[in-house]
Amino acid sequence: MSIEQFKQFVKKHPKIIEEVRQGRKTWKELYNDWYVFGEEDEMWDVYKSANEKEEQSALIQKLVSYLKHVDVNELQTYVTNVQQAITSIQEVVRQMQQTNTKDPFSFRKD
């Protein structure tokens, strides 16, 4: 992880800058935490802007809306079809492995 990546992270979380300017944290402390815990750690949630939280909320709402419109019976049909396809593929692979031991493509000299 580089300093440039940390700068990009800070740009996404402008409340971190306020934290340093108000003297509650130092850049060194924040960089060390970022380096050790990574960007996805819960400790950074307090620095997320309201905009980010709104985007996450909107995404969750879209997902919930999509799930409400999913036909469970149709989904079950798709899952069953996929399972049957996987079973068929496994059977073909099994048959190919058995014929490979017999070497069906070996030719005899006349």
Side-chain angles (χ1 to χ4, degrees), residues 8-74:
Q8 293 300 318
F9 174 72
V10 170
K11 285 180 183 177
K12 289 190 274 184
H13 300 84
K15 290 184 179 182
I16 293 175
I17 297 170
E18 293 173 24
E19 195 79 4
V20 173
R21 287 183 180 161
Q22 293 176 1
R24 291 191 291 257
K25 295 271 187 170
T26 66
W27 286 116
K28 183 172 176 42
E29 290 173 323
L30 291 166
Y31 178 79
N32 287 340
D33 289 344
W34 174 82
Y35 187 82
V36 172
F37 299 110
E39 293 184 17
E40 302 303 321
D41 193 86
E42 293 175 1
M43 71 182 302
W44 304 114
D45 289 350
V46 296
Y47 301 111
K48 287 186 178 178
S49 66
N51 218 9
E52 270 186 80
K53 291 178 182 175
E54 288 173 9
E55 288 174 10
Q56 288 176 351
S57 174
L59 180 63
I60 290 171
Q61 288 175 350
K62 285 180 184 178
L63 181 60
V64 168
S65 173
Y66 175 75
L67 290 174
K68 284 181 182 177
H69 291 77
V70 170
D71 181 7
V72 178
N73 293 328
E74 189 176 333

Side-chain angles (χ1 to χ4, degrees), residues 75-90:
L75 183 62
Q76 180 62 39
T77 303
Y78 289 139
V79 169
T80 301
N81 289 341
V82 169
Q83 286 175 332
Q84 289 172 348
I86 290 172
T87 302
S88 298
I89 292 169
Q90 287 174 334

